Amino acid sequence: RGTPTLVGDRLYTEGGNGDVTCLDAATGKTLWYKSLVDDFGGKRPGWGYSESPLVDGDLVFVTPGASSGTLVALNKESGSTVWSSTAVTQGAHYASPVLATIQGRKQVVQFGRESMFGVAEDGGASLWSYKNAANGTANCSTAIVDGNYVLASSAYGTGGGLAEISVGDGGQQSKEIWFEKKLANHHGGLVKVGDHVYGFGTGGLICIHFLT
């Protein structure tokens, strides 16, 4: 389901049952292994875990979707837990996390069962969430982030919306800029080129102006 992530001489993979493995890229030897279910208490979503592991610096980010934390950060060399997102505990769905700097804060943005959300890369603190583009069946589309704007989309009659992330009330918060039911992206994701986003909507291929 999820694409393997190659960083230097190591390959990071995640299977549908939540098997996260770090392999030696040259030999295929297992260097470390974690189970999102057994090691973190994650609950496998109905069609299986589907994300690609996200690697940045010394950390690997994966999404158990556990009551103790939706996201975890692991040491990329050993697999040991660095942090879990204890303030964000919704179930895992099918999107891959992305790294972004929004309003000066480096963060991991992920689409869980209930919302698109951002957590701090340096500890997993909850920063913001945006719920209107989520459905309870399958949120598959990875976030599109540009500057302080985040685009989320899902199918099953829902649609897509753009949220602006601002600073206020001692933290970050989201405000919806627009919502379009036709931007109901199911599988395959979205891509932003220039001012426009392309992907599948309710009627097939669709092009949306990102800001409007």
Side-chain angles (χ1 to χ4, degrees):
R1 291 171 174 83
T3 303
T5 303
L6 178 65
V7 180
D9 59 0
R10 294 192 171 203
L11 188 72
Y12 300 87
T13 68
E14 180 178 317
N17 289 320
D19 301 301
V20 178
T21 310
C22 174
L23 305 167
D24 181 280
T27 66
K29 177 184 177 182
T30 296
L31 301 178
W32 57 258
Y33 164 83
K34 295 290 181 180
S35 166
L36 298 183
V37 176
D38 296 336
D39 292 317
F40 303 107
K43 185 176 181 181
R44 178 186 180 275
W47 289 283
Y49 290 102
S50 303
E51 70 182 340
S52 299
L54 172 65
V55 181
D56 183 61
D58 294 329
L59 300 176
V60 180
F61 304 97
V62 288
T63 312
S67 59
S68 58
T70 302
L71 278 163
V72 294
L74 309 177
N75 181 281
K76 76 174 185 180
E77 301 295 328
S78 66
S80 61
T81 302
V82 178
W83 56 253
S84 59
S85 63
T86 55
V88 182
T89 58
Q90 60 186 281
H93 260 209
Y94 308 98
S96 293
V98 296
L99 198 67
T101 299
I102 304 175
Q103 292 288 3
R105 192 74 186 270
K106 195 172 184 181
Q107 54 193 268
V108 180
V109 180
Q110 177 61 302
F111 205 170
R113 186 179 187 277
E114 301 167 13
S115 69
M116 185 82 77
F117 62 88
V119 299
E121 193 213 27
D122 60 354
S126 176
L127 298 176
W128 58 270
S129 68
Y130 171 60
K131 296 183 177 181
N132 286 0
N135 68 71
T137 303
N139 299 318
C140 309
S141 187
T142 294
I144 300 290
V145 184
D146 189 353
N148 299 323
Y149 296 92
V150 180
L151 180 65
S153 176
S154 73
Y156 297 94
T158 304
L162 184 75
E164 182 178 11
I165 311 304
S166 59
V167 177
D169 296 330
Q172 294 186 345
Q173 55 194 20
S174 68
K175 176 185 177 182
E176 186 174 84
I177 302 301
W178 57 259
F179 192 90
E180 174 55 69
K181 286 184 69 68
K182 292 179 181 178
L183 186 62
N185 188 256
H186 192 186
H187 302 115
L190 302 165
V191 60
K192 182 177 182 292
V193 181
D195 295 331
H196 298 89
V197 171
Y198 302 86
F200 279 92
T202 54
L205 284 170
I206 191 169
C207 173
I208 292 281
H209 188 271
F210 182 71
L211 291 177
T212 67

